[in-house]
Amino acid sequence: MKTNKSQTALQNYLDGLLQEAEIEQFNEPKPVMLEEKPLAPILLPTFTTPKIVVEQQVETKIDIEMQPELQPVADEKPAWSQQPFECLLFDVAGLTLAVPLICLGSIYQLSEDDITPIFAQPEWFIGIMSTPAGNLKVLDTARWVMPERYNPELRKDFSFVISIDGHEWGLAVNQVRNSILLRPDEVKWRLKRGQRAWLAGTVIEHMCALLDVEALAKLITDKDKRVTVDKSL
């Protein structure tokens, strides 16, 4: 019974992530279409002649080049989503995340002695981990993917660090699972990103959220730049 309740709670959370995305898209301002209408007759009073009705005909011209283009909703699916792709499953604070293997580097087992903390860093930065491939910036993944459910105690349960291909940082996670093969039609995709730009979609069959690594990398880079600017002021 406990397992069923946990699965229901997790599915509700996954559904909530996508519902937030749908609400964001629904609340976006819609473009206003300009409608051309003929002007009504205008009554012009005079003091020397009886009142007459003058029908004013104005030709309304709309400069198409000056009007905003009505762009279709952008398809923000990652490039790797166009065909079946393999993903690694791992757990972060009770949430299962799937990351395409093409985006991953290496997996390192983690202990407290492996991390060197750095002072005056943002809360989502755990420290530096020395690896055969060089120093790796370790991020508190839970703070990024589920800030509203975050608890500082969650850091104690991080057991692995997954490096991201092409980046100098890695994700601290609780548990690494198996890899799976996903077809594009098995994913409930987000086509419009607002909050949680890292969320590419959800996979209900595997009860997991699909992580867009490049979108997360952009968020991290932008935050890192802001932190650097603040320190320089």
Side-chain angles (χ1 to χ4, degrees):
M1 182 67 67
K2 184 176 180 181
T3 302
N4 291 337
K5 287 183 178 179
S6 299
Q7 290 179 344
T8 301
L10 180 56
Q11 182 166 354
N12 290 339
Y13 181 69
L14 292 174
D15 290 342
L17 294 182
L18 280 183
Q19 285 174 7
E20 286 181 13
E22 291 170 358
I23 290 173
E24 289 169 6
Q25 184 173 349
F26 178 78
N27 288 335
E28 287 187 350
K30 301 296 188 299
V32 178
M33 299 298 294
L34 298 179
E35 184 177 355
E36 186 176 340
K37 293 183 178 180
L39 296 179
I42 299 176
L43 296 178
L44 298 178
T46 65
F47 294 99
T48 57
T49 58
K51 295 181 180 180
I52 59 173
V53 176
V54 178
E55 185 174 348
Q56 183 180 9
Q57 294 181 346
V58 178
E59 182 181 359
T60 304
K61 294 183 179 180
I62 300 178
D63 188 350
I64 302 298
E65 294 182 358
M66 297 297 293
Q67 303 304 317
E69 278 190 47
L70 301 181
Q71 299 290 349
V73 175
D75 184 354
E76 296 193 13
K77 289 184 183 179
W80 42 260
S81 68
Q82 306 304 315
Q83 56 189 359
F85 53 94
E86 282 191 279
C87 283
L88 178 69
L89 298 181
F90 58 87
D91 294 338
V92 176
L95 177 66
T96 300
L97 295 171
V99 178
L101 290 180
I102 192 174
C103 301
L104 298 180
S106 303
I107 300 174
Y108 303 99
Q109 200 153 12
L110 177 64
S111 66
E112 291 185 5
D113 297 335
D114 295 329
I115 299 291
T116 302
I118 306 295
F119 295 104
Q121 294 295 318
E123 294 178 338
W124 43 265
F125 182 80
I126 298 178
I128 298 292
M129 182 179 188
S130 179
T131 73
N135 289 337
L136 196 63
K137 297 179 180 179
V138 181
L139 308 182
D140 188 338
T141 312
R143 278 191 181 273
W144 283 99
V145 302
M146 48 198 316
E148 73 285 352
R149 300 175 67 183
Y150 184 78
N151 185 323
E153 294 295 315
L154 294 173
R155 283 196 180 188
K156 297 180 179 179
D157 297 325
F158 288 146
S159 301
F160 297 91
V161 173
I162 302 175
S163 67
I164 303 301
D165 188 40
H167 298 278
E168 57 181 1
W169 47 267
L171 303 174
V173 304
N174 298 102
Q175 180 182 355
V176 176
R177 296 193 179 192
N178 57 307
S179 61
I180 58 174
L181 180 66
L182 288 177
R183 299 191 312 272
D185 60 359
E186 293 179 299
V187 180
K188 190 174 181 182
W189 296 99
R190 289 180 70 188
L191 299 183
K192 199 75 172 176
R193 307 286 180 87
Q195 293 182 345
R196 306 182 196 273
W198 58 266
L199 179 63
T202 60
V203 187
I204 300 302
E205 181 181 352
H206 295 279
M207 300 291 289
C208 66
L210 183 60
L211 184 67
D212 185 339
V213 172
E214 289 307 316
L216 179 60
K218 186 177 185 306
L219 290 176
I220 294 170
T221 301
D222 291 345
K223 285 240 180 182
D224 196 30
K225 286 180 179 178
R226 286 199 291 270
V227 170
T228 303
V229 170
D230 291 341
K231 288 181 179 179
S232 65
L233 295 178

